[in-house]
Amino acid sequence: MQKTLFAAMLLLSASAQADVFKCKTANGGIAYSEHPCAAGEAEGRIRSSQGSGQGGALADVNAVPLPNPQKQRDIYQQFLATPSPRAFLICRNGGVSLIKGGETGVKREIARMASEGCAPYAINDDVVWKGN
């Protein structure tokens, strides 16, 4: 659990373009890290696309792969208006989630929701989407 929270914390503190790795943990969970996955834990590599406050790809709601754009566009726009720490997740079940609040709570929710098939599209001002 601490490893997953640490990985999420690394993502939240990232401010420059960097590789982000999505790794399957020994207990079957998902962790995000700036370091390559351990042998046998690889899930995929995510390229972090640095946001510029509210500029660039981050602010382009039409670039977000929303499962149901007509119903979910407003939620993403709420994400853009929310101060950091924040995250926007897209779930395999077709849902989306806006996570906001304290840094510890945001990290905990990212880790919890990863186990439910949700992956971050954006964390704070960085687009980190690789897909579900």
Side-chain angles (χ1 to χ4, degrees):
M1 179 71 172
Q2 283 185 345
K3 191 175 187 180
T4 302
L5 289 176
F6 177 73
M9 184 172 71
L10 289 173
L11 281 174
L12 287 172
S13 65
S15 62
Q17 185 171 356
D19 283 331
V20 177
F21 298 88
K22 178 181 177 184
C23 306
K24 187 174 282 186
T25 62
N27 66 1
I30 300 292
Y32 296 89
S33 174
E34 66 182 9
H35 302 289
C37 304
E41 294 183 354
E43 277 285 311
R45 181 184 296 208
I46 301 169
R47 172 66 73 177
S48 175
S49 170
Q50 182 180 11
S52 54
Q54 301 256 327
L58 182 73
D60 184 3
V61 70
N62 295 318
V64 182
L66 296 168
N68 189 340
Q70 285 134 345
K71 292 185 178 181
Q72 298 166 338
R73 187 172 286 120
D74 288 344
I75 300 168
Y76 188 73
Q77 289 172 331
Q78 289 174 23
F79 163 78
L80 292 175
T82 301
S84 294
R86 64 189 181 168
F88 185 83
L89 285 74
I90 299 174
C91 304
R92 285 188 202 130
N93 68 5
V96 297
S97 182
L98 163 61
I99 301 171
K100 57 185 178 179
E103 189 171 325
T104 301
V106 169
K107 289 184 255 183
R108 185 175 37 248
E109 279 300 297
I110 290 171
R112 184 187 69 75
M113 293 190 74
S115 69
E116 296 178 8
C118 301
Y121 174 78
I123 298 175
N124 295 325
D125 292 335
D126 293 314
V127 175
V128 297
W129 180 246
K130 169 66 173 154
N132 284 346

